[in-house]
């Protein structure tokens, strides 16, 4: 079969692949603890489910406006105003089938062959592939652990060429847990405005910040940067609604309208009843977010402490999102049952075999010295998983 060339340019999502593998092993009766894909273990709150059930019972089961129902757009506008001090009009909002689909639409609407898109690394696994699918070129800028994995203004300046079209930011970051301060974002914004770069700001982990940090959207730092920024967010993480597939973007009306045109020729509207449920999530469910974040904070501290107590493993305290990203490269070249561990993939395989714990190799995020563990799973699982990891690593020779 001769497939389209674009298929060979990309790989399947490694985060989803790890959880699929863990799920399969569980189904085969193997007792696996998964720190793989990042999705909250909490159930979707009942009031949100009820909103979907009501919509279903009322027959709200037909096509909706391609770019989302007005009620949901208004709830999103309300959220931006309330939480970020950002004012948008309906024509600046689009609802799509999840955050990933939103970013995909942005890339399809904006990027051309030859455009360079700056992506600080470690990055979320899908950013480079989405850029490639739009025929543009990902320009990976490697950040340093000593700088908390944040791109420095000079590093950004050094990566900009006349072909640079955009930069993709993700704060709080998946996989590192890094959170940029308003001041740091201000410096990035200055460069973006000076060089006329579009900023795609993936803010899906906005709610998950710890230790008294506050979240800042780069778009809120002035009119010039707001005009250049497309904010991406969604209900998946904050409201435990990963399966409902609702993401959204806010930005320049021309870009939003182009995204809507593309969406009209691909998915059409996101699921009608999921849109109704998302209105309920954004307008009436903030209490549940706070409870979830409190529990994540407890898990975060525990996991980071346990990781740091293991010889050969060191972990920056994650300040946001729900991932730990420990350095494990001191364990490379050690052996398990005579087999040498060479890299992050080897280490993840070893943990799956020897500890029955699923993690994502750092290589998937552009960093082979680390692995990613999601702590969006029960405290009990984290305790057991950390015990198993500790025991398995002791057996390395
Ligand atoms: N964003 C989550 C993760 O990184 C979900 C899986 C995915 O779409 O990548 O694990």
């Amino acid at each position: 079969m001769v497939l389209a060339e674009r298929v060979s340019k990309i790989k399947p999502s490694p985060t989803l692949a790890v959880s699929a593998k863990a799920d399969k092993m569980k189904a085969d009766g193997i007792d696996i603890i998964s720190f793989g894909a990042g999705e909250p273990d909490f159930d979707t709150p009942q009031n949100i489910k009820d909103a979907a059930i009501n919509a279903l019972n009322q027959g709200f089961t037909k096509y909706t406006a391609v770019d989302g129902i007005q009620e949901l757009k208004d709830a999103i506008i309300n959220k931006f105003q309330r939480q970020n001090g950002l004012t948008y009009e309906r024509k600046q909002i689009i609802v799509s089938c999840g955050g990933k689909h939103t970013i995909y639409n942005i890339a399809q609407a904006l990027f051309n062959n030859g455009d360079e898109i700056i992506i600080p690394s470690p990055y979320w696994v899908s950013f480079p592939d989405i850029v490639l699918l739009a025929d543009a070129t990902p320009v990976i800028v490697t950040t340093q652990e000593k700088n908390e994995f944040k791109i420095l203004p000079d590093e950004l300046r050094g990566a900009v060429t006349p072909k640079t079209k955009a930069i993709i930011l993700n704060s709080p970051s998946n996989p590192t847990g890094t959170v940029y301060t308003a001041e740091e974002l201000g410096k990035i914004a200055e460069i973006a405005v000076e060089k006329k770069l579009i900023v795609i700001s993936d803010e899906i982990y906005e709610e998950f910040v710890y230790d008294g940090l506050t979240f800042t959207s780069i778009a809120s730092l002035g009119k010039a940067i707001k005009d250049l920024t497309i904010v991406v967010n969604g209900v998946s993480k904050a409201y435990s609604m990963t399966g409902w597939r609702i993401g959204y973007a806010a930005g320049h009306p021309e870009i939003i309208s182009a995204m809507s045109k593309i969406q009209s020729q691909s998915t059409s509207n996101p699921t009608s009843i999921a849109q109704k449920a998302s209105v309920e999530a954004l307008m009436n469910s903030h209490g549940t977010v706070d409870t979830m974040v409190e529990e994540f904070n407890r898990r975060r501290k525990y996991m980071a402490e346990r990781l740091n107590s293991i010889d050969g493993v060191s972990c920056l305290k994650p300040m946001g999102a729900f991932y730990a990203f420990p350095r494990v490269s001191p364990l490379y070249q050690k052996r398990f049952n005579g087999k040498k561990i060479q890299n992050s993939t080897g280490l993840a395989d070893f943990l799956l075999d020897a500890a029955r714990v699923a993690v994502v190799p750092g290589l998937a995020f552009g960093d082979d010295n680390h692995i990613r563990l999601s702590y969006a799973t029960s405290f009990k699982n984290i305790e057991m998983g950390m015990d198993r990891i500790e025991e398995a690593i002791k057996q390395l020779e």
Side-chain angles (χ1 to χ4, degrees):
M1 178 75 70
V2 182
L3 297 174
E5 278 169 27
R6 73 177 68 85
V7 180
S8 61
K9 288 205 259 179
I10 59 163
K11 58 192 178 316
S13 163
T15 42
L16 298 182
V18 166
S19 28
K21 192 167 171 189
D23 286 349
K24 179 162 184 315
M25 290 173 83
K26 276 187 212 163
D28 290 345
I30 306 171
D31 156 38
I32 294 288
I33 292 177
S34 182
F35 298 142
E39 68 173 342
D41 53 315
F42 293 82
D43 196 3
T44 305
Q46 191 59 46
N47 62 315
I48 299 177
K49 289 186 189 174
D50 287 343
I53 294 165
N54 289 342
L56 198 56
N57 287 336
Q58 284 162 13
F60 194 73
T61 54
K62 305 290 170 64
Y63 293 134
T64 73
V66 164
D67 54 350
I69 55 175
Q70 292 204 349
E71 199 187 347
L72 180 52
K73 286 192 175 190
D74 289 347
I76 292 166
I77 289 169
N78 187 304
K79 180 261 161 210
F80 276 123
Q81 191 73 64
R82 199 176 66 218
Q83 288 189 218
N84 313 106
L86 284 165
T87 307
Y88 289 109
E89 296 173 42
R90 281 185 189 154
K91 62 179 183 200
Q92 293 182 278
I93 306 289
I94 179 169
V95 184
S96 301
C97 309
K100 192 183 294 185
H101 183 221
T102 307
I103 299 168
Y104 181 83
N105 281 341
I106 294 171
Q108 293 294 317
L110 269 180
F111 302 162
N112 281 313
N113 193 343
D115 286 344
E116 293 179 357
I117 314 303
I118 295 176
I119 304 176
S121 154
Y123 46 72
W124 177 48
V125 293
S126 292
F127 291 151
D129 294 64
I130 288 173
V131 169
L132 288 169
L133 282 172
D135 291 333
T137 307
V139 174
I140 308 298
V141 178
T142 305
T143 63
Q144 303 301 318
E145 190 161 7
K146 65 175 190 319
N147 300 328
E148 297 169 25
F149 297 112
K150 292 172 182 173
I151 187 167
L152 302 182
D154 284 347
E155 292 168 340
L156 175 55
R157 267 185 201 284
V160 176
T161 76
K163 291 181 178 170
T164 310
K165 175 102 183 217
I167 168 164
I168 306 183
L169 286 182
N170 175 218
S171 170
S173 154
N174 172 5
T176 63
T178 248
V179 182
Y180 287 76
T181 64
E183 204 190 336
E184 289 158 350
L185 290 172
K187 293 193 178 129
I188 294 176
E190 253 173 50
I191 300 170
V193 170
E194 181 194 318
K195 307 275 184 192
K196 295 193 177 55
L197 306 182
I198 303 237
V199 177
I200 299 162
S201 181
D202 177 355
E203 303 181 358
I204 193 87
Y205 295 98
E206 160 177 25
E207 301 284 355
F208 303 90
V209 287
Y210 311 102
D211 290 351
L213 274 190
T214 41
F215 167 82
T216 304
S217 170
I218 191 168
S220 68
L221 299 178
K223 179 168 176 350
I225 189 65
K226 185 182 175 211
D227 288 348
L228 287 170
T229 303
I230 312 165
V231 177
V232 177
N233 210 322
V235 295
S236 294
K237 314 289 184 188
Y239 302 99
S240 239
M241 292 175 70
T242 45
W244 300 71
R245 308 313 301 138
I246 295 289
Y248 55 86
H252 195 289
E254 209 178 322
I255 301 175
I256 298 296
S257 157
M259 290 165 68
S260 177
K261 190 169 165 187
I262 284 163
Q263 187 157 297
S264 81
Q265 295 292 12
S266 49
T267 57
S268 303
N269 61 274
T271 306
S272 59
I273 60 170
Q275 290 190 65
K276 285 282 192 182
S278 299
V279 173
E280 178 66 18
L282 290 171
M283 297 307 290
N284 298 317
S285 308
H286 215 259
T288 59
V289 179
D290 294 342
T291 316
M292 190 158 74
V293 173
E294 210 173 293
E295 174 58 17
F296 281 172
N297 186 28
R298 190 165 84 97
R299 299 172 183 179
R300 167 187 80 108
K301 288 186 193 153
Y302 178 79
M303 188 182 256
E305 254 169 44
R306 288 290 307 263
L307 286 166
N308 277 317
S309 73
I310 300 173
D311 264 355
V313 179
S314 59
C315 182
L316 278 185
K317 199 167 180 199
M319 300 307 287
F322 37 65
Y323 306 103
F325 197 61
R327 174 176 283 273
V328 289
S329 51
L331 300 173
Y332 299 167
Q333 308 307 321
K334 293 197 180 236
R335 288 170 187 274
F336 178 66
N337 285 346
K339 198 174 151 206
K340 215 190 256 177
I341 292 172
Q342 312 268 16
N343 48 29
S344 62
T345 312
L347 194 87
D349 286 345
F350 155 71
L351 290 177
L352 200 57
D353 287 347
R356 282 162 291 117
V357 171
V359 303
V360 187
L363 188 62
F365 309 94
D367 182 333
D368 206 17
N369 293 319
H370 295 75
I371 54 172
R372 190 192 79 174
L373 293 83
S374 161
Y375 51 85
T377 184
S378 73
F379 202 85
K380 192 161 160 266
N381 271 348
I382 297 174
E383 280 176 326
M384 285 194 316
M386 293 315 305
D387 288 347
R388 289 187 189 182
I389 291 176
E390 195 172 77
E391 272 314 300
I393 288 178
K394 273 190 202 149
Q395 291 169 40
L396 290 176
E397 289 162 350

